[in-house]
Amino acid sequence: MPISHHVERHFEATATVRDVVIGMADGLTVPFALAAGLSGAVATTGIIVTAGFAEIAAGSIAMGLGGYLAARGDAEHYESERVREEREVVEKPDAEREEVAEVFRGYGLTEAEIAPVLRVFGERHGAWVDFMMRFELGLEPPDPRRALTSALTIAGSYIAGGLIPLAPYMLANRAAVALEASVVVTVAALFGFGWVKGRFTGVHPGRSAIQTVLVGGLAAAAAFALAKALA
């Protein structure tokens, strides 16, 4: 009789999805708001397209740099905490053993069951530190390529998102006509983006799509009102 192996499927690209969400959400809303605000001040689309491209370029660089610095900050925080834990298992072994014991007591283990673990950790400081980093501090080793990957993902997603609301302005001459089309394609893009995001993250796609449209729409409306007031 053939044996079927149980395979658990877990989504493991949370950080990448987060970067795409950050870049795409801002890319869809900010250039749209800028273009919509300028639509009330100019009749033709040439200036709007130029301003939109400038905003997309500046925004993608700023967002990408922000993602890079955030990822670098996470990596530096992990390293500093690891150095501290490495020092403490040598200088304060009793306190660190008690912290390990507290973790296992939380899982219902007895003192007799915890003792062999503590003895092994005393002989393997690297494993001890790894355990403390994960279960005491909740920190995972950072991917050394994470900073650059995050920067490129956020910047690329911002550019892709920004071109969507700007596309009608590149195809039409009248700003009023382009604005109407931009509203339609931006809402459709937010809905589609939310649907795909839900499929990847395990959230119900319909609920994710509606939430994305509502949140993105509110952000775009607020930015549009500000741009309109300043135009």
Side-chain angles (χ1 to χ4, degrees):
M1 181 177 179
I3 299 175
S4 60
H5 297 280
H6 172 63
V7 179
E8 293 189 3
R9 300 180 183 275
H10 298 284
F11 182 69
E12 299 179 349
T14 304
T16 300
V17 169
R18 182 192 64 190
D19 290 341
V20 171
V21 169
I22 291 172
M24 184 72 73
D26 278 11
L28 282 168
T29 55
V30 178
F32 166 76
L34 173 64
L38 290 175
S39 296
V42 298
T44 57
T45 58
I47 296 176
I48 297 175
V49 171
T50 301
F53 275 121
E55 196 289 323
I56 290 173
S60 63
I61 293 172
M63 294 288 291
L65 180 59
Y68 179 87
L69 293 176
R72 286 295 305 163
D74 289 343
E76 290 168 359
H77 173 65
Y78 180 89
E79 290 303 324
S80 66
E81 289 296 324
R82 187 173 182 88
V83 169
R84 183 177 65 82
E85 286 295 334
E86 289 172 346
R87 183 175 64 251
E88 288 182 350
V89 298
V90 174
E91 298 177 355
K92 304 175 183 178
D94 292 338
E96 292 297 297
R97 289 191 188 95
E98 180 59 25
E99 290 177 355
V100 173
E102 281 296 322
V103 172
F104 284 117
R105 289 184 194 118
Y107 289 97
L109 274 68
T110 65
E111 299 301 319
E113 292 169 329
I114 296 172
V117 178
L118 295 178
R119 184 169 60 253
V120 172
F121 276 170
E123 299 170 355
R124 303 177 185 175
H125 283 190
W128 192 354
V129 172
D130 289 341
F131 179 89
M132 300 303 290
M133 293 296 293
R134 176 170 296 180
F135 291 97
E136 182 194 17
L137 302 178
L139 298 176
E140 296 287 344
D143 183 345
R145 298 171 298 179
R146 171 70 188 139
L148 180 59
T149 300
S150 178
L152 294 176
T153 301
I154 292 176
S157 299
Y158 190 96
I159 294 171
L163 290 175
I164 292 173
L166 196 62
Y169 291 91
M170 292 185 281
L171 299 175
N173 292 324
R174 293 176 55 200
V177 174
L179 175 59
E180 294 177 359
S182 183
V183 170
V184 173
V185 298
T186 300
V187 170
L190 286 169
F191 186 90
F193 173 58
W195 184 279
V196 173
K197 182 182 68 172
R199 292 292 300 272
F200 271 97
T201 58
V203 179
H204 188 279
R207 183 168 70 250
S208 175
I210 293 172
Q211 289 176 343
T212 303
V213 170
L214 290 176
V215 174
L218 288 174
F224 166 70
L226 180 60
K228 188 77 171 177
L230 298 177

